[in-house]
């Protein structure tokens, strides 16, 4: 959870406090690619997360957040086993690299955002992400 807390704090600073996602952003959503998932896994692994630290993980569709800067955003959610606390993080990404993330980002609660199971995050540590 350390990884998620630190990264999402950065996203909050980058994007500010907005209450919902504009329709144009919501309509741009696409399923997360394998490369997006790998970057999340690599970052979580580098931050010390291992097998069984997280359960019930999900990842949202990816949306184009700031077209002029080529910044994309998505959400990652799950439960930390240590505290059994649900967490949802808004993540920003550019050029295949995570810029930052925000814990409990209100935009991740937008009902138009689609979520997908993310079992790879639940199983992090069984093998080191490439």
């Amino acid at each position: 959870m350390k990884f998620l807390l630190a990264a999402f704090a950065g996203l909050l600073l980058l994007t500010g406090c907005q209450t919902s996602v504009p329709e144009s952003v919501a309509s741009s959503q696409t399923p997360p690619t394998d490369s997006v998932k790998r970057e999340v896994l690599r970052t979580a692994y580098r931050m010390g997360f291992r097998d069984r630290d997280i359960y019930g993980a999900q990842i949202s569709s990816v949306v184009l957040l700031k077209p002029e800067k080529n910044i994309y955003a998505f959400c990652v959610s799950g439960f930390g086993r240590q505290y059994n606390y649900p967490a949802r993080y808004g993540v920003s990404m550019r050029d295949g690299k995570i810029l930052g993330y925000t814990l409990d980002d209100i935009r991740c609660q937008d009902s138009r955002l689609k979520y997908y199971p993310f079992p790879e995050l639940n199983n992090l540590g069984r093998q080191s992400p490439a």
Side-chain angles (χ1 to χ4, degrees), residues 33-52:
T33 63
D34 288 340
S35 63
V36 167
K37 291 179 179 180
R38 275 193 305 273
E39 185 61 17
V40 170
L41 295 172
R42 271 194 294 266
T43 303
Y45 192 82
R46 282 192 306 259
M47 297 301 292
F49 286 92
R50 297 299 182 264
D51 189 27
R52 300 184 188 267

Side-chain angles (χ1 to χ4, degrees), residues 11-12 14-22 25 65-66 68 73 102 104-110:
L11 179 64
L12 181 60
L14 288 171
T15 60
C17 297
Q18 297 177 3
T19 57
S20 66
V21 176
V25 171
L65 185 63
K66 293 189 176 183
E68 69 281 2
T102 305
D104 295 330
D105 191 317
I106 191 73
R107 292 169 292 189
C108 294
Q109 297 176 21
D110 192 311

Side-chain angles (χ1 to χ4, degrees), residues 21-23 25-32 58-64 73-77 88-91 105-116:
V21 176
E23 185 59 43
V25 171
S27 65
S28 74
Q29 61 182 309
T30 59
Q58 293 184 317
I59 188 168
S60 76
S61 293
V62 177
V63 298
L64 183 56
F74 57 93
C75 298
V76 176
S77 67
R88 188 171 280 174
Y89 300 92
V91 182
D105 191 317
I106 191 73
R107 292 169 292 189
C108 294
Q109 297 176 21
D110 192 311
S111 62
R112 297 169 294 175
L113 198 56
K114 296 176 187 148
Y115 279 87
Y116 307 88

